[in-house]
Amino acid sequence: MGVSDKKMHIAENLEQVKSTFKNPDCLLVAVSKTHPPEAVMAAYEAGHRDFGENKVQELVKKQEVLPGDIRWHMIGHVQSNKVKMIAPFVHLIQGVDSVKVLRLINKEAKKCSRTISCLLQVKIAKEESKFGFEEEEIMEMIADEEIKKLGHVKIIGLMGMATNTDDEQLVRREFAGLKAFMERLRKLDLPSNFDLQELSMGMSADYVIAQEEGSTMVRIGSAIFGERNYG
Ligand SMILES: *Cc1c(COP(=O)(O)O)cnc(C)c1O
């Protein structure tokens, strides 16, 4: 496929995906991991501005060569020693999975005189996933006096990944469970750096179900950019 054919497909795919949204206000984060900057530019030229990457180094490399008005979402696990590389510019860190990382984001955000928006990643899948909080851990966290002193982070919502399965009912229950958990949290007396509004759930295979269950943000890669060779 020629470069211009590919570009056309990316713009078409974006339109196609958006046309199937159950909630037209849901934010589409285009996941460009493993795809070159040219692929991001094709979506950019079609008017898209929110992009997601799951590796800090790849995110930084793309950010350096691509337009400054792109909103970069860090969607994967962030290694502690790499927080400082994205702190100056990252729009939203979606994969906050430990208090340790949250503290570090706060420290690096302070150095940049920024407040960085974050989502807490919650384990919702049946399969054993390495990253993410258990619900009880988040309950402990909001009761911890130390958390409310982290003035350079803002927790604006939750993120979750459903089990990778054809069992739609299971996927639906997992998304519904995350939505219900956020609603429970919203009724509590939360620290002032919490303002829970966003639910990031849904990928290429399950974003329609996720939107039916209350997703406000979907992270879509292969349905826009095509299959990945790695990652
Ligand atoms: C890769 C990735 C996505 C996008 O996956 P697709 O199936 O290609 O849409 C979404 N979220 C996270 C955290 C990812 O790592």
Side-chain angles (χ1 to χ4, degrees):
M1 212 189 310
V3 171
S4 58
D5 287 348
K6 245 188 194 160
K7 270 192 174 177
M8 219 171 68
H9 282 291
I10 290 170
E12 274 172 13
N13 293 346
L14 264 173
E15 280 316 303
Q16 210 283 325
V17 165
K18 279 191 249 173
S19 73
T20 56
F21 269 23
K22 297 284 167 180
N23 168 11
D25 297 327
C26 187
L27 179 71
L28 169 55
V29 177
V31 177
S32 48
K33 66 187 186 194
T34 77
H35 297 285
E38 292 74 29
V40 176
M41 267 322 281
Y44 181 90
E45 281 163 9
H48 203 73
R49 292 296 179 270
D50 289 89
F51 293 91
E53 290 282 338
N54 71 337
K55 295 206 168 72
V56 166
Q57 258 129 342
E58 191 176 346
L59 172 52
V60 170
K61 264 196 193 156
K62 285 182 186 155
Q63 188 268 341
E64 282 170 359
V65 298
L66 286 163
D69 61 341
I70 286 178
R71 293 182 287 268
W72 290 105
H73 297 245
M74 178 63 202
I75 61 170
H77 170 70
V78 194
Q79 285 169 275
S80 314
N81 59 340
K82 294 190 177 139
V83 171
K84 59 174 173 298
M85 295 169 69
I86 54 173
F89 66 86
V90 71
H91 176 67
L92 177 62
I93 301 183
Q94 299 209 11
V96 176
D97 55 11
S98 73
V99 172
K100 184 183 164 203
V101 164
L102 191 65
R103 275 194 213 107
L104 265 167
I105 295 169
N106 186 70
K107 184 178 152 200
E108 295 299 331
K110 188 175 178 188
K111 284 189 202 162
C112 309
S113 307
R114 296 188 70 204
T115 299
I116 296 180
S117 295
C118 300
L119 304 180
L120 302 179
Q121 185 172 350
V122 184
K123 281 184 190 166
I124 59 170
K126 252 173 81 185
E127 63 213 356
E128 196 45 49
S129 52
K130 272 190 291 183
F131 303 118
F133 288 99
E134 300 288 349
E135 290 186 4
E136 307 84 79
E137 291 176 305
I138 293 182
M139 300 310 286
E140 284 166 24
M141 183 176 165
I142 58 180
D144 184 344
E145 286 297 312
E146 186 216 335
I147 296 299
K148 62 177 75 154
K149 294 182 190 138
L150 304 177
H152 289 266
V153 289
K154 189 122 206 146
I155 313 295
I156 64 166
L158 306 177
M159 185 270 239
M161 286 166 90
T163 305
N164 183 10
T165 171
D166 291 335
D167 182 350
E168 281 194 14
Q169 291 312 313
L170 176 62
V171 170
R172 191 177 292 284
R173 277 200 305 277
E174 290 172 351
F175 287 146
L178 186 60
K179 163 88 177 170
F181 180 52
M182 187 154 101
E183 290 310 315
R184 264 188 285 143
L185 288 177
R186 280 159 58 97
K187 293 200 180 89
L188 303 175
D189 184 19
L190 295 173
S192 58
N193 48 6
F194 274 65
D195 183 15
L196 301 179
Q197 305 287 340
E198 304 293 340
L199 261 183
S200 175
M201 48 187 204
M203 313 182 8
S204 294
D206 57 18
Y207 71 89
V208 172
I209 300 174
Q211 289 184 341
E212 286 169 351
E213 297 306 327
S215 170
T216 68
M217 204 181 276
V218 289
R219 311 172 310 274
I220 299 183
S222 42
I224 296 169
F225 295 107
E227 292 304 317
R228 291 179 289 274
N229 299 321
Y230 61 96

